[in-house]
Amino acid sequence: MLTYKGKVIMSNRHIKSDVILIGAGIMSATLGTMLKELAPDWKITVFEKLEKAGEESSQELNNAGTGHAALCELNYTSEKTDGSIDISKAIKVNEQFQDSLQFWSYLVNRNLISNPQNFIMPLPHMSMVQGEKNVEFLKRRFETMSNNPLFQGMEFSDNTETLKEWIPLIMNDRKSKEPIAATKIDSGTDVNFGALTRMLVDHLKNNEVDVNYKHSVESIKRMKDGTWEIKVHDLEGCKMEYHKAKFVFLGAGGGSLELLQKSGIPEGKHIGGFPISGLFMVCNNQEIVEQHNGKVYGKAAVGAPPMSVPHLDTRYIDNKKSLLFGPFAGFSPKFLKTGSYMDLFASIKPHNITTLLAAGVKEMALTKYLIQQLLLSKEQRMEELRDFIPTAKSEDWDIIVAGQRVQVIKDTAAGKGTLQFGTEVVSAADGSIAALLGASPGASTAVSVMLEVINKCFPQQMKEWEPKIKEMIPSYGVKLVENPELINEIHTTTAQALELNKK
C-alpha cells in the first residue's frame, strides 16, 4: 500500500466481485439488472468515468430516441435483384425490440422501476420518400411488410390529402411536383434511453450494487486462476484501486475497444474502430414543434452510413415535446464525446493495422461523404431540412452535437477490413469477459444483446436460469414471426404495462 500525506494512493489489496461492469450506459445497466434478477446473491460492481449514469451514447440528446423496431427505417429492408423486398433484417430487429418491451414491462409490473411515461411514449413511425422510383419501392415494401404479423397496422398512402393529415408540417406549402408517399404505423415509440438508464442504475444502487462514478479503468489483466484484475483510478479520491472479478463486461460505448485491446484476448485481435460523430438540428419554436407528431425517416444519401438516414423526429425529453432533424454526419478521432483526440491513433495496433488500411481503401465513398458533411454550412443544412419542411426558417433551428459512434472494422467472409454497421458482442472463449461494440440499433436491442452475452458467458447457469428468463421475456426461445397469437398477446400486455395506449 502506497500513501501520500496520509492518503492512500494505491492499494495492492484486491476488492473482489462476481461481476464487474465497466461503463454506466444502457448496456451495462440492462445487463446488471438482468443478472440481479437471475443471481440476486452475486456481488456486482460498476465503474463509470463520468459523474453520473447514461451521459455518453445513452444520453437523450446523443441519440435519436427511436424505439428501433424496423417500422420506418428503410435501411433495414433491401430490394432484391428480382424487385422483391427482403425484410429479414427488419424481422430480426423488430423481434429484438419486442424483447426490450417485455423486459421493461416485467420491471414495471414488479415495481422495480416506475412511471414508464418518463422513458417511453407512443409515437407513430413513418417512412417518407419522393420520386417515382422511390414511391414504387415504398409501396412494394409496404405490401410485403403489412402481410407479416409483426407489422400489423401499417398504412400506405400517396394521396396528398391523406399525407396532409399524417404529416401537415411536411406537406405545408410543398411546391415540388415530384410524387411523394409515406407509410405510417401507430405502434411506434419514442424512448428516452438516458432516463431509462438512470432508472435502471438507481434500481441497482438500491439493491446492493456498488456503483462508482468518476472511476476510470486503467488496465485489465488476466490472473493465473482465470479471474480478471482491474486497475481503477478513483478520480475524485486521487487513488488507485485493484478489483478482481470472475466476469467483466465492457459496456463503455466507444471506449470498449480500447479496453478490449488491453484485455489481450485473441478474439479482440484484428478489430478496429471508425468513429463517426453527428449533429442534430433542434427546433426552438414551440409553435412549429406542435405541428408535427411522429418519427419520419427518409432514404440515406448515396455513400452515407446507415446511421445517417435523415429523419424528422418528435421527441419527449423531461416530458416536454421537442423536434429534431438529422443526423448530419461528421468526423472526430475521439471514440467518446468526452474522449481524447488521440483515441483513433491509440487504437491502431500491429495486429489490426492491415485491417484498418484495407477498410480505408474500400470505404472511399464514405470518406468523401464525411468530408462533404463536415464542410456544410448551417444554410446548407437548412436546405436539407427543407426537403422535409419546405417552410423551415433558419432562425427557428439550432445545431447541437450528438454522440460519438464507433463502427466496427474487422476481417469477415466478405473480405479484409469490412466496416460493420450494427451492434456486436466480442467475448473470450471461456466467457470470462465480453465487450459490446458498434452502433445502431444499439440501445433499442439492449435486452436481446444482453441475452446473447448471458448465453455466451454463463452457459453452465442457463438451465437453472431459463425459467426466470422466460418470466422476464415470455417470448424467449420463440420465433415471434411464426407465432402470430403470441405477437398479439405481447403487443397487448406490453402496451398496457408501459402505458402506450394512453394519448
Side-chain angles (χ1 to χ4, degrees), residues 275-279 307-308 328-332 370 374 401-405:
I276 298 177
S277 60
L279 300 173
M307 62 172 288
S308 295
F328 295 93
F331 175 78
S332 166
L370 291 176
L374 283 168
V401 179
Q404 284 286 111
R405 300 290 187 268

Side-chain angles (χ1 to χ4, degrees), residues 235-248:
L235 301 174
E236 201 164 47
C238 298
K239 64 180 180 180
M240 292 290 184
E241 300 172 349
Y242 285 98
H243 291 257
K244 190 176 179 182
K246 302 170 186 174
F247 172 74
V248 176

Side-chain angles (χ1 to χ4, degrees), residues 260 265 267-268 271 424-428 433-437 456:
L260 178 63
I265 64 171
E267 293 80 4
I271 293 177
E424 190 161 343
V425 174
V426 179
S427 59
I433 189 169
L436 195 283
L437 305 173
K456 280 186 173 183

Side-chain angles (χ1 to χ4, degrees), residues 73-232:
E73 307 93 321
L74 298 176
N75 56 301
Y76 293 143
T77 51
S78 58
E79 187 173 7
K80 297 180 182 178
T81 53
D82 64 358
S84 62
I85 307 300
D86 182 358
I87 65 168
S88 56
K89 188 172 183 180
I91 290 170
K92 179 181 178 181
V93 171
N94 188 284
E95 291 199 338
Q96 288 178 318
F97 188 61
Q98 300 306 322
D99 288 346
S100 293
L101 291 174
Q102 290 173 79
F103 182 60
W104 300 338
S105 298
Y106 166 86
L107 297 176
V108 170
N109 288 334
R110 283 153 184 77
N111 297 314
L112 302 179
I113 60 174
S114 58
N115 301 320
Q117 68 276 9
N118 288 342
F119 75 88
I120 187 167
M121 295 287 283
L123 196 68
H125 280 197
M126 294 177 248
S127 305
M128 183 198 77
V129 298
Q130 300 177 68
E132 187 175 341
K133 185 177 179 181
N134 288 333
V135 170
E136 289 176 1
F137 164 79
L138 188 66
K139 189 170 185 179
R140 280 182 279 119
R141 175 183 182 271
F142 160 73
E143 290 168 350
T144 304
M145 296 185 78
S146 60
N147 286 324
N148 189 290
L150 287 169
F151 305 104
Q152 289 176 354
M154 183 178 285
E155 302 173 76
F156 169 89
S157 182
D158 55 5
N159 180 277
T160 301
E161 295 306 312
T162 301
L163 294 177
K164 283 180 179 179
E165 293 178 11
W166 289 1
I167 43 177
L169 186 62
I170 291 173
M171 295 302 293
N172 182 36
D173 202 27
R174 182 168 287 276
K175 300 287 196 301
S176 174
K177 300 300 182 183
E178 256 196 325
I180 183 170
T183 56
K184 180 170 80 80
I185 185 164
D186 291 328
S187 57
T189 55
D190 175 66
V191 185
N192 184 330
F193 288 106
L196 175 59
T197 300
R198 293 187 288 274
M199 285 182 181
L200 295 178
V201 173
D202 284 345
H203 161 67
L204 291 175
K205 288 168 67 177
N206 292 333
N207 284 272
E208 300 180 344
V209 171
D210 188 14
V211 180
N212 302 273
Y213 297 118
K214 294 188 177 180
H215 278 64
S216 175
V217 174
E218 302 297 316
S219 66
I220 303 175
K221 177 183 175 184
R222 193 194 288 267
M223 307 294 283
K224 289 182 179 179
D225 62 0
T227 60
W228 291 93
E229 177 189 82
I230 313 296
K231 183 181 177 183
V232 184

Side-chain angles (χ1 to χ4, degrees), residues 40-57:
D41 295 333
W42 283 9
K43 182 181 179 184
I44 300 175
T45 302
V46 182
F47 295 113
E48 168 57 53
K49 188 176 181 179
L50 303 180
E51 59 185 15
K52 56 183 178 180
E55 283 296 285
E56 274 285 350
S57 297

Side-chain angles (χ1 to χ4, degrees), residues 162-445:
T162 301
L163 294 177
K164 283 180 179 179
E165 293 178 11
W166 289 1
I167 43 177
L169 186 62
I170 291 173
M171 295 302 293
N172 182 36
D173 202 27
R174 182 168 287 276
K175 300 287 196 301
S176 174
K177 300 300 182 183
E178 256 196 325
I180 183 170
T183 56
K184 180 170 80 80
I185 185 164
D186 291 328
S187 57
T189 55
D190 175 66
V191 185
N192 184 330
F193 288 106
L196 175 59
T197 300
R198 293 187 288 274
M199 285 182 181
L200 295 178
V201 173
D202 284 345
H203 161 67
L204 291 175
K205 288 168 67 177
N206 292 333
N207 284 272
E208 300 180 344
V209 171
D210 188 14
V211 180
N212 302 273
Y213 297 118
K214 294 188 177 180
H215 278 64
S216 175
V217 174
E218 302 297 316
S219 66
I220 303 175
K221 177 183 175 184
R222 193 194 288 267
M223 307 294 283
K224 289 182 179 179
D225 62 0
T227 60
W228 291 93
E229 177 189 82
I230 313 296
K231 183 181 177 183
V232 184
H233 183 189
D234 177 351
L235 301 174
E236 201 164 47
C238 298
K239 64 180 180 180
M240 292 290 184
E241 300 172 349
Y242 285 98
H243 291 257
K244 190 176 179 182
K246 302 170 186 174
F247 172 74
V248 176
F249 175 68
L250 311 178
S256 293
L257 178 59
E258 178 190 4
L259 296 171
L260 178 63
Q261 291 175 335
K262 287 182 176 181
S263 75
I265 64 171
E267 293 80 4
K269 308 288 186 184
H270 306 288
I271 293 177
F274 185 78
I276 298 177
S277 60
L279 300 173
F280 278 109
M281 302 191 78
V282 183
C283 186
N284 58 39
N285 186 330
Q286 202 61 29
E287 288 184 15
I288 293 172
V289 172
E290 296 300 330
Q291 294 176 45
H292 184 75
N293 188 58
K295 292 184 181 288
V296 181
Y297 275 59
K299 289 199 78 172
V302 176
M307 62 172 288
S308 295
V309 171
H311 42 94
L312 182 67
D313 290 357
T314 296
R315 297 290 311 275
Y316 289 93
I317 298 173
D318 297 328
N319 292 315
K320 181 182 178 182
K321 190 176 181 181
S322 58
L323 184 61
L324 279 72
F325 175 76
F328 295 93
F331 175 78
S332 166
K334 292 182 177 182
F335 276 9
L336 292 166
K337 197 171 179 179
T338 57
S340 165
Y341 286 104
M342 293 303 295
D343 286 345
L344 175 58
F345 308 105
S347 73
I348 300 172
K349 308 293 182 186
H351 58 71
N352 70 4
I353 190 167
T354 56
T355 299
L356 293 170
L357 289 173
V361 172
K362 292 165 66 174
E363 299 295 339
M364 293 303 293
L366 174 59
T367 303
K368 180 182 177 182
Y369 170 78
L370 291 176
I371 292 170
Q372 290 172 338
Q373 289 274 291
L374 283 168
L375 296 176
L376 290 177
S377 65
K378 182 180 179 182
E379 187 52 35
Q380 287 172 315
R381 299 183 202 279
M382 288 300 302
E383 284 302 313
E384 292 196 26
L385 171 58
R386 290 185 187 113
D387 282 342
F388 278 72
I389 307 176
T391 58
K393 297 177 182 177
S394 184
E395 61 266 27
D396 292 332
W397 295 82
D398 300 318
I399 296 175
I400 62 167
V401 179
Q404 284 286 111
R405 300 290 187 268
V406 178
Q407 307 293 155
V408 176
I409 298 172
K410 68 176 191 176
D411 301 335
T412 69
K416 199 168 187 66
T418 302
L419 188 63
Q420 304 287 101
F421 292 103
T423 307
E424 190 161 343
V425 174
V426 179
S427 59
D430 64 357
S432 62
I433 189 169
L436 195 283
L437 305 173
S440 183
S444 295
T445 60

